[in-house]
Amino acid sequence: NALYELTDGKIQENGYICDIIVTDEKGEAKTDPDAFSIGTYWVIEVATKEDYVVNNVDVGRVGGDAGVKADDLTPDGGLIKAVFKHNDKIADDGACWNPPVSGGAHIQKLDAMRDDDREHGDTNLGATFKIVNASKKAVKNKYGETIPTCGLTDKPDFPTYDQVRAASETCTVYTITADKNGKADTGEHDLIYGTYYVIETEVPDGYYLNTEWVGKIVIREDGKIVPVCDSNNELHDEYNHYYYDRVQKEPVVHPDDAVACRDQIYRGGVAVQKIDKEMGWQTAQGMGTLKGAEFTILNASGSSARNVDGKDVKSVTSRKDFQETYQQLWRIANETDSPYVMQRIYTNKEGFACTDKFDLPYGTYYIIETKAPLGYWLDEQFVGKITIRDDGRCMMISDEDLPTENGSDFYDINDRASNKKNTVDDQVRRCDLYFRKVDIDGNPKANIPFLLSAIRRDGGGQETILESHVIVSDENGVVTTSSEDIT
């Protein structure tokens, strides 16, 4: 069905069209036996099948350089072969050669948590995809290799990921890896006219492989890269350039990248245990309490990370004044509306605080105590560093298997040697009391005993004596708990 025009005279002078012929299934086209008299004739291709590109470069000539001569004509007529030239040289076999229509594909991977193409935490979107031949026939890839068809169609049901993955073993036309922002573009002539399925086969550390998503690309225009959708969110209906999603099953006009491959990022959590430093246990002294200590988690990943409130949090390592010290981290954590805070967690009465096991995306974080509970000093020595590398795991600094095989870890940067320190220990606030015992005339009274008791009052006002001690006034009538000389 390729269409050719035969003209007389010089082709550049728009010679008269003598005949129009169409090729048969073998690619051959013939005029009637008595179509020509003596003269010069040219052949040009003006149309061809939809899966081939019209050859508008090569020009055929009937009868060789001298044209049709008297010796070429017979009473009974005959056939004279038209010889095509390309750049003034005879083409292979003298035939008119047609390149097949070929195009390209644009594949987009997105982070499912943020639904965008930015790097997230300590990972990126550089996934690997395979493009599988689903055309009716075998196709050649860009290396000239013949790739068989997988035989899968989307009727009546779209093929599953597992079906396409199995077919990819022998029917992969193209393997491509996306850049850090999840964009993967083939060349504009890498895919021959046909139909292809696309699956994700490898993901960077920190992401789950999407074994639900299957894309479909149909190439119908030469030199066109078929995107997920164009800037107007419209499909290329004119050329039947569709990009499908297995779940949707039908090509539709969709929002930006609605059929992009979306991958779930690993997420983890962290827990801390606060204790009384002197007691060595989660028991508060006196009227103090372990409840209400505030711990702030700061993002220290290579990129921003999404927190539980849906906010993208900057990394403290992007600051020019960043230092890995408690004092600097405390200042950053307490800035007004600090853009570096992932989350703040608070201890219960047992001194325990934790995030959910899916609160922190794959990345690196600091955790410090930013507010001490009633009756205690801040632990300014503790700077916890967290690396999330496993999904669904909430880590404590005392976990025996840290770091994990995947690299998850939690340790105090100021106490890395002991590493298995179980807790964050706060020093209870202490002071001394002082008064004088005198008689009615103001004279000091020595050796007068006093009972000093520590009490705890519950929520109902009920008091409980925890411990008692006797202290005695000295020769100056001084009663004090201090070891210093107070006169």
Side-chain angles (χ1 to χ4, degrees):
N1 294 320
L3 188 69
Y4 293 86
E5 290 181 352
L6 285 79
T7 66
D8 61 359
K10 292 184 177 180
I11 190 74
Q12 296 89 339
E13 297 175 0
N14 298 318
Y16 175 77
I17 297 176
C18 303
D19 203 351
I20 295 176
I21 54 178
V22 180
T23 56
D24 58 20
E25 64 275 5
K26 296 180 180 180
E28 296 179 351
K30 302 176 182 178
T31 66
D32 292 336
D34 56 355
F36 298 108
S37 59
I38 295 175
T40 300
Y41 301 90
W42 304 87
V43 184
I44 58 171
E45 186 176 58
V46 293
T48 189
K49 290 181 63 179
E50 64 178 6
D51 52 344
Y52 283 92
V53 178
V54 173
N55 187 338
N56 54 15
V57 176
D58 297 345
V59 177
R61 185 169 184 169
V62 180
D65 292 339
V68 178
K69 306 184 295 296
D71 293 345
D72 296 324
L73 305 180
T74 65
D76 299 328
L79 294 176
I80 303 172
K81 183 177 181 179
V83 177
F84 281 80
K85 283 188 175 182
H86 180 66
N87 294 334
D88 292 328
K89 295 181 180 180
I90 296 178
D92 292 344
D93 301 329
C96 179
W97 287 82
N98 295 88
V101 167
S102 58
H106 165 72
I107 304 167
Q108 179 67 59
K109 173 185 168 175
L110 298 180
D111 176 280
M113 184 179 184
R114 300 202 298 193
D115 204 36
D116 65 22
D117 62 358
R118 291 173 296 159
E119 296 173 83
H120 197 172
D122 282 338
T123 188
N124 60 62
L125 296 168
T128 297
F129 296 88
K130 285 188 175 181
I131 301 174
V132 178
N133 181 25
S135 308
K136 293 181 180 179
K137 300 177 181 179
V139 298
K140 285 187 179 294
N141 64 15
K142 67 175 186 178
Y143 306 110
E145 301 167 332
T146 300
I147 308 299
T149 178
C150 67
L152 298 172
T153 68
D154 55 1
K155 297 178 181 179
D157 295 313
F158 213 86
T160 65
Y161 176 92
D162 289 340
Q163 288 175 315
V164 179
R165 184 65 186 260
S168 71
E169 297 298 322
T170 55
C171 303
T172 294
V173 176
Y174 203 102
T175 299
I176 187 170
T177 299
D179 64 17
K180 65 182 182 180
N181 298 114
K183 294 178 175 59
D185 289 348
T186 70
E188 61 185 13
H189 290 290
D190 284 347
L191 300 176
I192 300 299
Y193 181 103
T195 302
Y196 304 88
Y197 292 123
V198 187
I199 57 170
E200 184 180 50
T201 54
E202 295 179 29
V203 290
D205 293 340
Y207 279 102
Y208 279 105
L209 185 70
N210 190 336
T211 57
E212 294 294 324
W213 182 86
V214 177
K216 180 181 177 182
I217 299 173
V218 181
I219 301 297
R220 290 294 182 269
E221 183 183 7
D222 193 60
K224 183 74 174 182
I225 292 182
V226 182
V228 175
C229 62
D230 64 18
S231 59
N232 296 316
N233 303 328
E234 296 176 349
L235 299 172
H236 299 276
D237 296 321
E238 179 181 359
Y239 302 108
N240 198 30
H241 281 177
Y242 293 148
Y243 197 102
Y244 295 74
D245 180 85
R246 186 181 69 83
V247 177
Q248 291 177 268
K249 295 186 178 179
E250 295 293 336
V252 293
V253 175
H254 47 70
D256 282 341
D257 295 323
V259 292
C261 180
R262 288 166 166 80
D263 289 356
Q264 292 288 347
I265 195 171
Y266 287 7
R267 290 176 287 174
V270 65
V272 291
Q273 178 64 60
K274 188 169 190 59
I275 65 170
D276 181 291
K277 187 173 184 177
E278 295 179 359
M279 302 289 286
W281 193 245
Q282 56 263 39
T283 301
Q285 296 190 62
M287 293 297 291
T289 178
L290 298 178
K291 182 179 180 179
E294 178 187 80
F295 287 88
T296 299
I297 302 170
L298 301 167
N299 180 26
S301 307
S303 303
S304 64
R306 177 68 59 89
N307 69 10
V308 292
D309 298 321
K311 178 183 177 182
D312 288 325
V313 178
K314 295 181 180 179
S315 174
V316 294
T317 60
S318 65
R319 291 174 60 123
K320 293 182 179 180
D321 63 348
F322 170 71
Q323 295 178 356
E324 195 180 53
T325 64
Y326 175 87
Q327 290 74 20
Q328 175 70 341
L329 294 173
W330 188 92
R331 285 194 293 271
I332 293 173
N334 285 282
E335 292 174 350
T336 302
D337 298 325
S338 176
Y340 307 97
V341 174
M342 287 294 295
Q343 195 173 350
R344 301 185 195 270
I345 57 177
Y346 300 88
T347 54
N348 59 18
K349 63 181 181 180
E350 285 80 27
F352 182 77
C354 69
T355 67
D356 184 82
K357 64 180 180 179
F358 295 112
D359 278 358
L360 302 176
Y362 185 100
T364 303
Y365 306 91
Y366 292 111
I367 182 169
I368 60 171
E369 185 180 23
T370 45
K371 290 182 181 178
L374 181 66
Y376 285 88
W377 296 101
L378 279 172
D379 185 349
E380 297 183 6
Q381 297 303 310
F382 174 77
V383 178
K385 192 166 188 178
I386 307 156
T387 50
I388 302 296
R389 296 293 184 268
D390 295 277
D391 189 56
R393 170 163 184 164
C394 193
M395 294 182 293
M396 288 192 70
I397 205 168
S398 59
D399 291 346
E400 294 294 330
D401 61 345
L402 295 181
T404 67
E405 183 178 344
N406 292 330
S408 293
D409 205 359
F410 181 18
Y411 60 89
D412 182 354
I413 66 171
N414 296 319
D415 193 19
R416 185 69 186 266
S418 61
N419 199 16
K420 299 306 176 185
K421 175 182 172 184
N422 184 35
T423 55
V424 181
D425 48 3
D426 280 7
Q427 175 64 49
V428 69
R429 289 176 179 265
R430 289 184 173 274
C431 64
D432 286 297
L433 62 84
Y434 162 85
F435 63 90
R436 285 179 179 270
K437 173 61 178 175
V438 297
D439 62 17
I440 195 169
D441 296 321
N443 300 314
K445 299 280 288 183
N447 300 317
I448 305 299
F450 291 86
L451 184 66
L452 181 63
S453 298
I455 63 173
R456 183 183 294 280
R457 183 180 294 112
D458 63 21
Q462 182 68 36
E463 293 183 349
T464 302
I465 296 177
L466 302 177
E467 57 178 312
S468 296
H469 300 276
V470 175
I471 55 177
V472 180
S473 61
D474 64 14
E475 65 273 15
N476 297 311
V478 174
V479 179
T480 181
T481 59
S482 175
S483 61
E484 298 179 2
D485 182 20
I486 299 178
T487 302

